[in-house]
Amino acid sequence: MIETLPSFLAGAWQAGSGEGSTVADAVTGETLCRVSSAGLDLCSAVSHARGLGGPGLRAMTFPERSDLVKAVALALSERKQELYDLSARAGATRTDAKVDVDGGFGTALVFSSLARKGLPDGRIVVEDVAPVRFGREGIFVGRHVLTSRPGVAVQINAFNFPVWGMLEKLAPALLAGVPSIVKPATPTAYVAEHAVRIILEAEVLPPGALQLVCGSIPGLLDELGGQDLVGFTGSARTAATLRSNAAVTERSVRLTVEADSLNSSILGVDASPGTPEFDLYVDQLVAEMTTKAGQKCTAIRRAFVPRPFADAVAEAVVGRLAKVVVGAPGAEGVTMGALVGLDQRADVRAQVERLSVDSEVVFGDPDKVDVVGADPDRGAFMSPVLLRAGSDARTPHAVEAFGPVSTLMPYDDAAHVVDLVARGEGSLAASVVSHDPDFVGNVVLGVAAHHGRVLVLDRESAPESTGHGIPMPQLVHGGPGRAGGGEEEGGLRAVYHHLQRTALQGGPSVLEAIAARGSA
Ligand code: NAP
């Protein structure tokens, strides 16, 4: 019998009833589990978090919470092989799985360390170390304090990063003293469920600090109010549904959205064939197209190149893509795994068809691919697909094919490429690959307002560069407009996001005494 993936609510593992959704192995097509939350009491999960998890976390100081986050990370690190094995069933190669799993616990470790160094040995953060004076005598001053919200953080994640996506939200919430209810995406909920199981079995968190719902969350948002938070990663369509929920529109639940993104990579006008930057650009584009089979929110969807170099770039990228071996994770020679499922592949194929309205496929057949170590009819395999479009094409700036798909487009000069990039209406990440400081300056300052992160890549930074597609926990991850308008990570900013900033006014000694109360 196919088992229903359990949720962990109000201190107990419990499975939903009914048929739910069936999740299949991305490689073999074999049914793995059902996912259903029908009949589960999500309301009691919220009161459990508020009544037990929150008080337990808030009783701890920031350094104590930093230790918790570290312990969570170490527990996952010790059992990472189990998560790699499960990730392979979702189509991820070992390299892909490391991006998610090691990236996940690595992110938690960074948050722990940042908190240890940057947060006080207490339970509140006091800003304005020199209080703001309002009068000549300085007997009436102001300063800001950040205190823990006595609420709950509901974290809704996308399917592509079941571990990293969870930890980048969970770590700052724990540090802020806010309990979490994690809701993974159905296609990879079994990976997230196992990660939560590992954390809970390590017995490092206070009761109620972490709960998990596998399946949909009907009515959960109805329970939320002004002290609660929702962190969402996923499609713009789901984001729009959440934005219009009364929890957000009427009760001001703090909602953060990370959504679709048509990220760009720009080859500099100086980076002709034969330069190190030309090769770096091609390497990076191929890596972004094939890592996690292109199912990365930050993957390069639009590749802009100077018009005179367009043919040379296309030729170099096609040459590299021809060497990509698609197949079962772990099979001999495989360099790219499967998409997460057949539905996802159908969606990517449909989006390639939409892109083909004004773009031409120059590499890859979206409907056919040679596969190593698996049955191509049962697994969700797809060839990398490179398209080329003119600089007046519209669809590359509007359609996100969430798979191994990218479109190459020419531009004429810095102003032109800035205009083209902006047509994406807000993205998570852009990269500028150039060794010409003037060009880099013009383009970076031109595109910065449209992005949450801009990476400059050249021969000097390349050896240490973390690459276009990897958000770093110390830096902001998010983007304006289409990308959702949210900010995650960004070091301690993510912790502050979970706290309430309150302006205090009064005499200096009273305010000093209040600040001291927040110390350990
Ligand atoms: P999705 O269909 O929007 O699902 C995202 C999450 O929302 C899932 O957990 C899903 O649960 C849940 N959900 C769906 N309907 C809901 C509702 N009415 N109320 C509450 N939760 C609901 O997106 P996806 O297909 O998983 O992810 C792919 C998309 O995410 C892509 O467009 C990609 O660009 C974007 N993405 C963005 C980032 C980023 O950081 N900006 C990162 C990764 C992915 P179920 O699965 O159970 O339906």
Side-chain angles (χ1 to χ4, degrees), residues 157 160 183 185-186 232-235 238 258-260 297 400 402 477:
N157 295 318
N160 55 343
K183 186 254 171 292
T186 293
F232 170 76
T233 302
S235 65
T238 311
E258 301 292 331
D260 311 358
C297 51
E400 183 198 42
F402 202 63
H477 173 58

Side-chain angles (χ1 to χ4, degrees), residues 10-346:
W13 287 102
Q14 37 192 304
S17 54
E19 285 293 294
S21 310
T22 304
V23 177
D25 186 307
V27 178
T28 63
E30 174 198 348
T31 300
L32 285 179
C33 60
R34 289 188 197 286
V35 176
S36 169
S37 60
L40 298 180
D41 185 356
L42 302 182
C43 176
S44 73
V46 173
S47 32
H48 185 73
R50 287 199 190 120
L52 193 64
L57 286 170
R58 291 198 300 276
M60 305 175 90
T61 62
F62 289 119
E64 286 167 341
R65 291 179 215 154
S66 154
D67 290 344
L68 282 190
V69 172
K70 185 173 176 183
V72 164
L74 294 180
L76 290 167
S77 160
E78 275 165 23
R79 294 175 62 182
K80 62 186 178 184
Q81 185 61 45
E82 295 165 37
L83 295 167
Y84 295 161
D85 293 345
L86 282 178
S87 304
R89 309 204 75 174
T93 63
R94 176 58 62 92
T95 309
D96 296 340
K98 282 188 168 185
V99 176
D100 185 36
V101 177
D102 297 36
F105 65 71
T107 292
L109 285 174
V110 170
F111 269 114
S112 168
S113 159
L114 291 173
R116 171 70 65 180
K117 291 183 202 138
L119 293 177
D121 185 6
R123 295 173 187 81
I124 68 170
V125 176
V126 182
E127 295 182 321
D128 311 301
V129 178
V132 183
R133 290 164 63 124
F134 296 105
R136 197 173 300 184
E137 303 298 328
I139 54 173
F140 179 69
V141 299
R143 62 201 307 192
H144 292 91
V145 294
L146 282 79
T147 56
S148 294
R149 297 173 144 226
V152 54
V154 174
Q155 296 155 4
I156 305 172
N157 295 318
F159 72 79
N160 55 343
F161 284 110
V163 181
W164 174 83
M166 174 168 73
L167 286 167
E168 60 140 7
K169 293 182 174 72
L170 178 63
L174 287 172
L175 289 169
V178 179
S180 298
I181 299 177
V182 174
K183 186 254 171 292
T186 293
T188 51
Y190 59 95
V191 184
E193 186 262 359
H194 196 69
V196 168
R197 196 173 281 281
I198 290 172
I199 296 169
L200 294 172
E201 285 176 2
E203 296 183 349
V204 291
L205 292 180
L210 171 62
Q211 298 180 81
L212 171 80
V213 191
C214 295
S216 56
I217 50 169
L220 180 59
L221 300 193
D222 297 343
E223 301 300 317
L224 304 187
Q227 292 297 321
D228 303 313
L229 304 100
V230 174
F232 170 76
T233 302
S235 65
R237 193 173 337 135
T238 311
T241 310
L242 296 176
R243 279 203 176 96
S244 61
N245 191 287
V248 177
T249 56
E250 291 172 22
R251 300 191 297 280
S252 303
V253 166
R254 199 174 270 183
L255 171 69
T256 309
V257 171
E258 301 292 331
D260 311 358
S261 185
L262 295 162
N263 312 292
S264 306
S265 184
I266 302 148
L267 180 68
V269 287
D270 55 304
S272 54
T275 60
E277 284 70 29
F278 183 94
D279 295 338
L280 288 168
Y281 184 87
V282 170
D283 284 354
Q284 178 173 266
L285 179 55
V286 172
E288 289 296 317
M289 288 177 71
T290 54
T291 307
K292 285 194 72 75
Q295 300 167 112
K296 265 183 27 229
C297 51
T298 49
I300 299 166
R301 305 288 172 212
R302 298 180 296 155
F304 295 103
V305 295
R307 201 176 292 280
F309 310 155
D311 288 341
V313 173
E315 196 182 320
V317 175
V318 166
R320 293 286 305 280
L321 291 177
K323 296 190 185 131
V324 171
V325 180
V326 178
E332 183 70 28
V334 166
T335 54
M336 189 175 106
L339 297 178
V340 77
L342 295 176
D343 289 351
Q344 182 61 22
R345 186 178 65 180

Side-chain angles (χ1 to χ4, degrees), residues 357-426:
V357 168
D358 52 10
S359 312
E360 182 199 354
V361 174
V362 293
F363 181 87
D365 180 342
D367 298 319
K368 197 170 164 297
V369 63
D370 291 332
V371 169
V372 173
D375 179 347
D377 294 328
R378 294 184 65 82
F381 297 100
M382 184 173 172
S383 166
V385 174
L386 181 71
L387 297 107
R388 278 184 81 171
S391 42
D392 53 353
R394 287 166 176 261
T395 53
H397 309 297
V399 173
E400 183 198 42
F402 202 63
V405 181
S406 192
T407 305
L408 206 58
M409 283 172 280
Y411 73 85
D412 296 318
D413 54 28
H416 187 211
V417 78
V418 166
D419 174 59
L420 291 173
V421 168
R423 292 185 199 177
E425 295 184 358

